[in-house]
PDB file of all heavy atoms in Angstrom:
ATOM      1  N   PRO A  91     -63.672  55.001  52.338  1.00  0.00           N
ATOM      2  CA  PRO A  91     -64.123  54.184  53.481  1.00  0.00           C
ATOM      3  C   PRO A  91     -65.587  53.620  53.281  1.00  0.00           C
ATOM      4  O   PRO A  91     -65.952  52.695  53.996  1.00  0.00           O
ATOM      5  CB  PRO A  91     -64.091  55.210  54.641  1.00  0.00           C
ATOM      6  CG  PRO A  91     -64.191  56.549  54.057  1.00  0.00           C
ATOM      7  CD  PRO A  91     -63.519  56.424  52.701  1.00  0.00           C
ATOM      8  N   PHE A  92     -66.259  54.073  52.240  1.00  0.00           N
ATOM      9  CA  PHE A  92     -67.666  53.600  52.068  1.00  0.00           C
ATOM     10  C   PHE A  92     -67.788  52.765  50.881  1.00  0.00           C
ATOM     11  O   PHE A  92     -68.826  52.476  50.349  1.00  0.00           O
ATOM     12  CB  PHE A  92     -68.656  54.795  52.048  1.00  0.00           C
ATOM     13  CG  PHE A  92     -68.890  55.427  53.373  1.00  0.00           C
ATOM     14  CD1 PHE A  92     -68.181  56.432  53.784  1.00  0.00           C
ATOM     15  CD2 PHE A  92     -69.841  54.801  54.154  1.00  0.00           C
ATOM     16  CE1 PHE A  92     -68.482  57.075  54.978  1.00  0.00           C
ATOM     17  CE2 PHE A  92     -70.064  55.366  55.466  1.00  0.00           C
ATOM     18  CZ  PHE A  92     -69.342  56.487  55.830  1.00  0.00           C
ATOM     19  N   THR A  93     -66.721  52.316  50.382  1.00  0.00           N
ATOM     20  CA  THR A  93     -66.631  51.421  49.190  1.00  0.00           C
ATOM     21  C   THR A  93     -66.775  49.933  49.717  1.00  0.00           C
ATOM     22  O   THR A  93     -65.998  49.495  50.627  1.00  0.00           O
ATOM     23  CB  THR A  93     -65.377  51.536  48.422  1.00  0.00           C
ATOM     24  OG1 THR A  93     -65.213  52.905  48.012  1.00  0.00           O
ATOM     25  CG2 THR A  93     -65.387  50.610  47.190  1.00  0.00           C
ATOM     26  N   ASP A  94     -67.688  49.262  49.239  1.00  0.00           N
ATOM     27  CA  ASP A  94     -67.867  47.854  49.681  1.00  0.00           C
ATOM     28  C   ASP A  94     -66.929  46.998  49.005  1.00  0.00           C
ATOM     29  O   ASP A  94     -67.055  46.591  47.786  1.00  0.00           O
ATOM     30  CB  ASP A  94     -69.297  47.368  49.413  1.00  0.00           C
ATOM     31  CG  ASP A  94     -70.402  48.083  50.236  1.00  0.00           C
ATOM     32  OD1 ASP A  94     -70.032  48.415  51.336  1.00  0.00           O
ATOM     33  OD2 ASP A  94     -71.539  48.233  49.711  1.00  0.00           O
ATOM     34  N   LYS A  95     -65.780  46.678  49.596  1.00  0.00           N
ATOM     35  CA  LYS A  95     -64.741  45.782  49.099  1.00  0.00           C
ATOM     36  C   LYS A  95     -64.555  44.606  50.046  1.00  0.00           C
ATOM     37  O   LYS A  95     -64.915  44.606  51.185  1.00  0.00           O
ATOM     38  CB  LYS A  95     -63.431  46.616  48.949  1.00  0.00           C
ATOM     39  CG  LYS A  95     -63.505  47.702  47.881  1.00  0.00           C
ATOM     40  CD  LYS A  95     -62.052  48.314  47.790  1.00  0.00           C
ATOM     41  CE  LYS A  95     -62.037  49.354  46.653  1.00  0.00           C
ATOM     42  NZ  LYS A  95     -60.714  49.920  46.431  1.00  0.00           N
ATOM     43  N   ASP A  96     -63.943  43.605  49.390  1.00  0.00           N
ATOM     44  CA  ASP A  96     -63.637  42.476  50.193  1.00  0.00           C
ATOM     45  C   ASP A  96     -62.554  42.770  51.159  1.00  0.00           C
ATOM     46  O   ASP A  96     -61.763  43.720  50.947  1.00  0.00           O
ATOM     47  CB  ASP A  96     -63.292  41.282  49.326  1.00  0.00           C
ATOM     48  CG  ASP A  96     -64.352  40.797  48.499  1.00  0.00           C
ATOM     49  OD1 ASP A  96     -65.567  40.983  49.033  1.00  0.00           O
ATOM     50  OD2 ASP A  96     -64.152  40.218  47.476  1.00  0.00           O
ATOM     51  N   GLU A  97     -62.358  42.001  52.272  1.00  0.00           N
ATOM     52  CA  GLU A  97     -61.354  42.229  53.223  1.00  0.00           C
ATOM     53  C   GLU A  97     -60.000  42.202  52.656  1.00  0.00           C
ATOM     54  O   GLU A  97     -59.121  42.982  52.993  1.00  0.00           O
ATOM     55  CB  GLU A  97     -61.602  41.227  54.404  1.00  0.00           C
ATOM     56  CG  GLU A  97     -60.837  41.509  55.589  1.00  0.00           C
ATOM     57  CD  GLU A  97     -61.114  40.511  56.657  1.00  0.00           C
ATOM     58  OE1 GLU A  97     -62.163  40.472  57.252  1.00  0.00           O
ATOM     59  OE2 GLU A  97     -60.268  39.595  56.934  1.00  0.00           O
ATOM     60  N   GLY A  98     -59.778  41.312  51.704  1.00  0.00           N
ATOM     61  CA  GLY A  98     -58.574  41.213  51.133  1.00  0.00           C
ATOM     62  C   GLY A  98     -58.088  42.333  50.272  1.00  0.00           C
ATOM     63  O   GLY A  98     -56.915  42.690  50.094  1.00  0.00           O
ATOM     64  N   ASP A  99     -59.063  43.039  49.655  1.00  0.00           N
ATOM     65  CA  ASP A  99     -58.783  44.145  48.823  1.00  0.00           C
ATOM     66  C   ASP A  99     -58.496  45.449  49.561  1.00  0.00           C
ATOM     67  O   ASP A  99     -57.591  46.194  49.156  1.00  0.00           O
ATOM     68  CB  ASP A  99     -60.010  44.400  47.903  1.00  0.00           C
ATOM     69  CG  ASP A  99     -60.164  43.231  46.946  1.00  0.00           C
ATOM     70  OD1 ASP A  99     -59.227  42.533  46.657  1.00  0.00           O
ATOM     71  OD2 ASP A  99     -61.319  42.953  46.622  1.00  0.00           O
ATOM     72  N   ILE A 100     -59.299  45.622  50.618  1.00  0.00           N
ATOM     73  CA  ILE A 100     -59.163  46.900  51.454  1.00  0.00           C
ATOM     74  C   ILE A 100     -57.973  46.864  52.399  1.00  0.00           C
ATOM     75  O   ILE A 100     -57.519  47.938  52.764  1.00  0.00           O
ATOM     76  CB  ILE A 100     -60.477  47.225  52.065  1.00  0.00           C
ATOM     77  CG1 ILE A 100     -60.509  48.689  52.475  1.00  0.00           C
ATOM     78  CG2 ILE A 100     -60.679  46.446  53.345  1.00  0.00           C
ATOM     79  CD1 ILE A 100     -61.930  49.080  52.968  1.00  0.00           C
ATOM     80  N   GLY A 101     -57.598  45.756  52.824  1.00  0.00           N
ATOM     81  CA  GLY A 101     -56.558  45.624  53.817  1.00  0.00           C
ATOM     82  C   GLY A 101     -56.820  44.770  54.915  1.00  0.00           C
ATOM     83  O   GLY A 101     -57.853  44.033  54.917  1.00  0.00           O
ATOM     84  N   LYS A 102     -55.922  44.747  55.914  1.00  0.00           N
ATOM     85  CA  LYS A 102     -56.092  43.809  57.053  1.00  0.00           C
ATOM     86  C   LYS A 102     -56.671  44.527  58.179  1.00  0.00           C
ATOM     87  O   LYS A 102     -56.111  45.564  58.590  1.00  0.00           O
ATOM     88  CB  LYS A 102     -54.662  43.241  57.456  1.00  0.00           C
ATOM     89  CG  LYS A 102     -54.792  42.240  58.571  1.00  0.00           C
ATOM     90  CD  LYS A 102     -53.407  41.763  58.918  1.00  0.00           C
ATOM     91  CE  LYS A 102     -53.415  40.864  60.132  1.00  0.00           C
ATOM     92  NZ  LYS A 102     -52.072  40.427  60.622  1.00  0.00           N
ATOM     93  N   PRO A 103     -57.814  44.112  58.790  1.00  0.00           N
ATOM     94  CA  PRO A 103     -58.374  44.744  59.935  1.00  0.00           C
ATOM     95  C   PRO A 103     -57.491  44.574  61.186  1.00  0.00           C
ATOM     96  O   PRO A 103     -57.071  43.455  61.429  1.00  0.00           O
ATOM     97  CB  PRO A 103     -59.766  44.091  60.141  1.00  0.00           C
ATOM     98  CG  PRO A 103     -59.607  42.787  59.451  1.00  0.00           C
ATOM     99  CD  PRO A 103     -58.585  42.935  58.369  1.00  0.00           C
ATOM    100  N   CYS A 104     -57.388  45.606  61.980  1.00  0.00           N
ATOM    101  CA  CYS A 104     -56.638  45.556  63.219  1.00  0.00           C
ATOM    102  C   CYS A 104     -57.399  45.545  64.497  1.00  0.00           C
ATOM    103  O   CYS A 104     -57.163  44.907  65.513  1.00  0.00           O
ATOM    104  CB  CYS A 104     -55.641  46.679  63.305  1.00  0.00           C
ATOM    105  SG  CYS A 104     -54.432  46.751  61.904  1.00  0.00           S
ATOM    106  N   GLY A 105     -58.539  46.219  64.403  1.00  0.00           N
ATOM    107  CA  GLY A 105     -59.460  46.320  65.481  1.00  0.00           C
ATOM    108  C   GLY A 105     -60.218  47.582  65.641  1.00  0.00           C
ATOM    109  O   GLY A 105     -59.960  48.511  64.738  1.00  0.00           O
ATOM    110  N   PRO A 106     -61.222  47.733  66.490  1.00  0.00           N
ATOM    111  CA  PRO A 106     -62.051  48.899  66.493  1.00  0.00           C
ATOM    112  C   PRO A 106     -61.350  50.083  67.090  1.00  0.00           C
ATOM    113  O   PRO A 106     -60.317  49.912  67.754  1.00  0.00           O
ATOM    114  CB  PRO A 106     -63.244  48.437  67.412  1.00  0.00           C
ATOM    115  CG  PRO A 106     -62.599  47.416  68.312  1.00  0.00           C
ATOM    116  CD  PRO A 106     -61.654  46.746  67.397  1.00  0.00           C
ATOM    117  N   VAL A 107     -61.801  51.282  66.817  1.00  0.00           N
ATOM    118  CA  VAL A 107     -61.211  52.462  67.283  1.00  0.00           C
ATOM    119  C   VAL A 107     -62.077  53.087  68.299  1.00  0.00           C
ATOM    120  O   VAL A 107     -63.361  53.251  68.155  1.00  0.00           O
ATOM    121  CB  VAL A 107     -61.071  53.483  66.134  1.00  0.00           C
ATOM    122  CG1 VAL A 107     -60.399  54.815  66.624  1.00  0.00           C
ATOM    123  CG2 VAL A 107     -60.274  52.873  64.941  1.00  0.00           C
TER     124      VAL A 107
END
Side-chain angles (χ1 to χ4, degrees):
F92 285 94
T93 301
D94 292 330
K95 291 186 176 181
D96 292 333
E97 190 176 288
D99 296 329
I100 200 171
K102 179 182 178 181
C104 301
V107 182

